Each structure stands twice: as C-alpha cells, then as structure tokens.
Amino acid sequence: MVCTGSAQSALLQQGVDYANGEFIQVHPTAIPGRQAALDERIGARRRRRVWVPRNPAEKRAPRSIPEGERFYFLEEWYPKYGNLVPRDIATRAIHRIVYQEKLGIDGQAAVYLDVTHIPRETLDRKLEGILEIYEKFLESIRAKNR
C-alpha cells in the first residue's frame, strides 16, 4: 500500500544492479480504492491523446491548432493500439518525435498529452486519487524549496 523503497534497498544491498530510482513509478492499480474507481482511472488513460504540431515552427496555443495540423503519432504509427501502446513503445515514439523528427513543442523536447475533450467533472472523478497524491507530492517539494 505504501512504497517506502525498502524492496529496492534490500535488492541493492544483495548486489543487484540498480540504475535510476527516479524511474520507479506509482501505478494506479497500487492506489487503494474501489474497483470501480480504479476502472475509471484506467478509463481516463484510454481516452487521452498524445500529439505534436505537424509544423515544427508552430507558435499558436494548442487549442487553436486545427485537428488536421496535429500529428497524433501513436495513433498513426500504431493504429491497432493508438495511445494505449505499452509505455516503453510510447517512450521510444516520443523520443523519436522530439529528437529525430524534431517535432516537439516550440522547439522543446515535449509532446501534448491531451484530455481537453473530456469534461472537467469527469476528469476530477476519474483521477481524484491520483491528483490527490500528486498535489501532496508537489506541496512537499514546494515546502522543501521555501
């Protein structure tokens, strides 16, 4: 229920090679809650869309860029799975887009994770537990930086 890092520490102490602890993630299935709430959080992932502007010199705000000028690269490259490709495949695709294709956002190594088509109330309900964790995390970071 709580990731303290003790499992990683025990493995490291036993001699297992350990690369970068920052890449350990909290998965929604590890967050306590009703199964229906979990299904809703996973359902939000199914509805998000990853994209970049097709024009690398694009300066307009994301919402003002017409659909036809957006490159939904996961959907185009992996039509069977689209935005639900495994994380390693999505990560490699994002790396290709921003570093090889030079199609990041405003010259930066970034992509849009678009959920603007989902009503705010739906997002709040589906992501409530995850957002609460991130808010607490951000608050602790802000407190340390004061």
Side-chain angles (χ1 to χ4, degrees), residues 22-72:
E22 292 180 4
F23 285 97
I24 295 171
Q25 68 175 1
V26 174
H27 192 273
T29 56
I31 299 171
R34 301 179 337 267
Q35 183 61 40
L38 172 60
D39 292 343
E40 287 180 353
R41 290 192 293 265
I42 293 171
R45 179 175 180 251
R46 289 186 182 113
R47 295 177 60 190
R48 59 103 157 102
R49 299 181 80 192
V50 179
W51 65 278
V52 292
R54 289 190 183 274
N55 177 358
E58 182 63 66
K59 297 292 183 195
R60 291 178 285 183
R63 288 189 182 195
S64 65
I65 300 172
E67 284 284 318
E69 296 178 33
R70 298 176 181 190
F71 185 14
Y72 293 97

Side-chain angles (χ1 to χ4, degrees), residues 24 34 36 38-39 44-45 47 52 60 63 66 75 82 85 90 97-98 102 105-106 108 111 115 135 141 146:
I24 295 171
R34 301 179 337 267
L38 172 60
D39 292 343
R45 179 175 180 251
R47 295 177 60 190
V52 292
R60 291 178 285 183
R63 288 189 182 195
E75 295 170 28
V85 296
I97 280 292
V98 300
K102 307 285 190 212
I105 299 169
D106 197 22
Q108 302 296 310
V111 298
V115 293
E135 287 168 2
I141 296 296
R146 288 184 192 140

